[in-house]
Amino acid sequence: MTFRGLVDGREHLALRLGTVQDGVPLVRVHSECLTGDVFGSARCDCGPQLREALRMIDTAGGLLLYLRQEGRGIGLYNKLDAYGLQDRGLDTYEANRALGMGEDERDYGAAAQMLRALGHDEIDLLTNNPVKCEQLRRYGIRVRRTVATGVFVNPHNTGYLTAKVARTSHTIRLEESA
């Protein structure tokens, strides 16, 4: 499903998968990641999270909201520049700041609008990101529970995942994946 007139003016989409059993859909709000989702970059965990989400949602019934918020909302070109800074030792958040951007410029107001348009004001949220949950609640979506995504660590994304835990309290248990 596609949407027009969302608060941020961007083109986002929703995929409905499976059959919701108890009236509350499992929802993954996934920010676009061309490098991870399409090209399989090992620098992040986006591609594996997306594939896992599609399987889980298909089984439980629910929605994938695919938001056009590349690179934590800084855009593809800035994200690629941030990669260069990360290669010089900055973490993903420091790199965004060094480019004059916020650590994370994503906003989930459009996701809340999409959910309401689809008739859902209560969801089970598939995420490790507490900010996503907080924002959706602030926008009037009841998050009945959060469902953690898997931990997709590899030698190329350990620093990235560690920064997500340290800087934004992502609920990723890196010690269990070692």
Side-chain angles (χ1 to χ4, degrees), residues 17 19 75 80 92 118 131:
L17 299 165
T19 303
L80 295 175
T92 182
L118 296 169
V131 172

Side-chain angles (χ1 to χ4, degrees), residues 106-176:
R106 292 176 295 182
D107 182 89
Y108 299 101
Q113 283 183 296
M114 293 165 72
L115 288 166
R116 280 194 294 280
L118 296 169
H120 300 291
D121 59 2
E122 182 177 24
I123 64 171
D124 290 337
L125 183 63
L126 181 57
T127 189
N128 295 327
N129 183 349
V131 172
K132 194 178 294 184
C133 185
E134 291 166 17
Q135 279 197 33
L136 287 172
R137 285 181 170 145
R138 199 168 48 240
Y139 284 118
I141 301 297
R142 289 187 306 278
V143 178
R144 181 174 72 172
R145 68 185 175 107
T146 58
V147 178
T149 67
V151 177
F152 302 100
V153 65
N154 67 60
H156 307 285
N157 71 6
T158 303
Y160 169 80
L161 295 174
T162 300
K164 285 171 67 168
V165 171
R167 295 209 179 251
T168 54
S169 302
H170 277 63
T171 55
I172 302 169
R173 298 185 184 275
L174 292 173
E175 66 280 355
E176 292 177 7

